[in-house]
Amino acid sequence: MLMTKRLSRVLERMEKKGLEAFLVTSPEAIAYLIGYHINPHERTYVMMLDQNGHHQLFFNQLFFVEEDLGMPITWFSDADDSMSIIAKALEGKKKIGVDKDMPARWLLPLMHKLDATFVLASDCIDLVRGVKEAHEIDLMIKASQINDEAMGYMQKTLAEGTHSEKEMDPLLLNEYKRLGATAHSFEPIVGYGKNGADPHHENDGSMLKPGDSIIVDMGCVYEGYCSDMTRTFFYKEASEKQKFVYNLVLKAQKAAEVAIKPGVALSEIDKIARDIITEGGYGKEFNHRLGHFIGQTCHEAGEVNATSDIIAEEGMIFSIEPGVYIPGEFGVRIEDLVLVTSDGVKVLNHYPKDLTII
């Protein structure tokens, strides 16, 4: 079913860019606009949005669709030249947008076949997706509530000290399902001690030792929407250095969150947190963006970083997750999801953030 309000917002952004057509190839973005999702694998799967209203879907005959998706479907087989079919529909268009996911094996033939200018236009849909509708916000609040509850389970289970990092993954998934979620929104990160100094550590067979930091980065899917949260605990004891770093990261995170409101540049939010950590002596050890957008996928387009040109708008949901990573020693990351409200911010996670020794 075509989501007409969402489509109207995308068309408005296309008009501002002077686009006559926009080729959308991201299955998630197409699903956002028509409410229908498949994984096309390597097959051609394209939505053409037209400023004149002649929208079309281009699907391989392998994709079985029974319902009305709100726009005509042009079917083709594996034996057909799908790019020639799409090019014919674009004849006469002089400025065509493409999304960031379009493979070169599709784009280059189209550039060869058409006398047109092609421009990257992902923001036409990405920034629309970034501002959540009321029912989306409700689902993401619930997903974060489940994450809060599951984090309590993780803290209690980790305190037993009997499970390896990789053993925590299936235990967490079982807890998510018990609480009403359907899946992980990403593979959870459970990093003990020096493993926590790798921001994207892959869980292994490591066991806890007294003095280890424990980074727990986790999220679930609830009715198609994602949550994401990180907490850092310490096992049995924490050194003065660990305590200093933890409180520095916490100070940066709280300062960034309180500064969020409509009209504030996301680059400024990043700067607030980064300056605090730099002044504390660990600027080089904070080696990633402050946050990312989230919704139907865990990492949606849109970043909270030093170069972002995005201005906070009511309805945006993104993460705030500063971290410090000291190779060979330990890591600390603290992450919440935040919702930009009409006059400020609502933090969606409520699990305690004060330094905790388990």
Side-chain angles (χ1 to χ4, degrees), residues 89-117:
L90 290 165
E91 285 180 354
K93 308 291 187 187
K94 293 301 181 183
K95 190 173 183 181
I96 301 168
V98 297
D99 69 13
K100 60 187 179 298
D101 296 304
M102 176 174 274
R105 70 178 187 276
W106 300 352
L107 177 58
L108 293 176
L110 287 174
M111 294 175 71
H112 179 72
K113 295 174 186 296
L114 294 167
D115 180 20
T117 299

Side-chain angles (χ1 to χ4, degrees), residues 32 76 150 210 226 295 306 355:
Y32 178 76
F76 52 85
C226 299
L355 189 148

Side-chain angles (χ1 to χ4, degrees), residues 54-58 70-74:
H54 304 305
H55 314 307
Q56 287 191 62
L57 296 164
F58 297 89
M71 61 180 67
I73 302 176
T74 298

Side-chain angles (χ1 to χ4, degrees), residues 6 135-136 139-140 143 220-227 295-296:
R6 295 176 180 180
H135 78 281
E136 294 181 290
L139 291 173
M140 295 191 69
C220 67
V221 180
Y222 175 75
E223 295 192 11
Y225 283 82
C226 299
S227 60
Q296 292 177 323

Side-chain angles (χ1 to χ4, degrees), residues 82-295:
S82 58
M83 289 304 109
S84 290
I85 294 171
I86 294 172
K88 185 174 181 179
L90 290 165
E91 285 180 354
K93 308 291 187 187
K94 293 301 181 183
K95 190 173 183 181
I96 301 168
V98 297
D99 69 13
K100 60 187 179 298
D101 296 304
M102 176 174 274
R105 70 178 187 276
W106 300 352
L107 177 58
L108 293 176
L110 287 174
M111 294 175 71
H112 179 72
K113 295 174 186 296
L114 294 167
D115 180 20
T117 299
F118 289 82
V119 299
L120 181 62
S122 286
D123 59 340
C124 289
I125 190 167
D126 290 343
L127 294 178
V128 170
R129 289 177 68 185
V131 178
K132 302 301 189 262
E133 298 162 2
H135 78 281
E136 294 181 290
I137 292 170
D138 289 343
L139 291 173
M140 295 191 69
I141 288 173
K142 177 61 177 178
S144 287
Q145 288 174 345
I146 291 173
N147 223 18
D148 281 342
E149 290 187 57
M151 186 64 79
Y153 166 82
M154 291 293 278
Q155 179 179 338
K156 180 180 177 181
T157 305
L158 287 163
E160 297 170 1
T162 57
H163 298 285
S164 69
E165 293 174 346
K166 62 183 180 182
E167 288 173 336
M168 294 303 299
D169 181 332
L171 293 175
L172 173 59
L173 183 57
N174 288 339
E175 181 67 5
Y176 276 150
K177 291 181 177 180
R178 188 188 72 81
L179 293 169
T182 55
H184 293 305
S185 57
F186 60 96
E187 289 300 316
I189 299 170
V190 181
Y192 298 164
K194 64 180 182 181
N195 291 344
D198 176 1
H200 283 163
H201 171 66
E202 295 185 6
N203 302 343
D204 60 27
S206 297
M207 301 296 293
L208 278 169
K209 305 182 300 296
D212 276 349
S213 63
I214 311 170
I215 286 184
V216 182
D217 187 351
M218 59 190 234
C220 67
V221 180
Y222 175 75
E223 295 192 11
Y225 283 82
C226 299
S227 60
D228 188 4
M229 174 176 60
T230 307
R231 292 293 183 265
T232 301
F233 307 112
F234 296 92
Y235 185 59
K236 295 194 178 296
E237 60 191 43
S239 68
E240 291 306 309
K241 182 176 183 179
Q242 287 172 325
K243 291 177 181 178
F244 175 83
V245 169
Y246 185 91
N247 288 318
L248 181 66
V249 172
L250 181 59
K251 178 182 178 182
Q253 203 229 16
K254 288 182 174 180
E257 289 181 347
V258 77
I260 297 168
K261 62 181 179 180
V264 174
L266 299 193
S267 58
E268 178 60 25
I269 303 301
D270 181 282
K271 185 176 186 301
I272 288 169
R274 203 166 300 277
D275 283 352
I276 289 172
I277 291 176
T278 299
E279 289 166 8
Y282 288 94
K284 291 183 179 179
E285 288 76 21
F286 179 15
N287 54 18
H288 57 71
R289 63 193 176 190
L290 181 63
H292 60 84
F293 280 56
I294 182 171

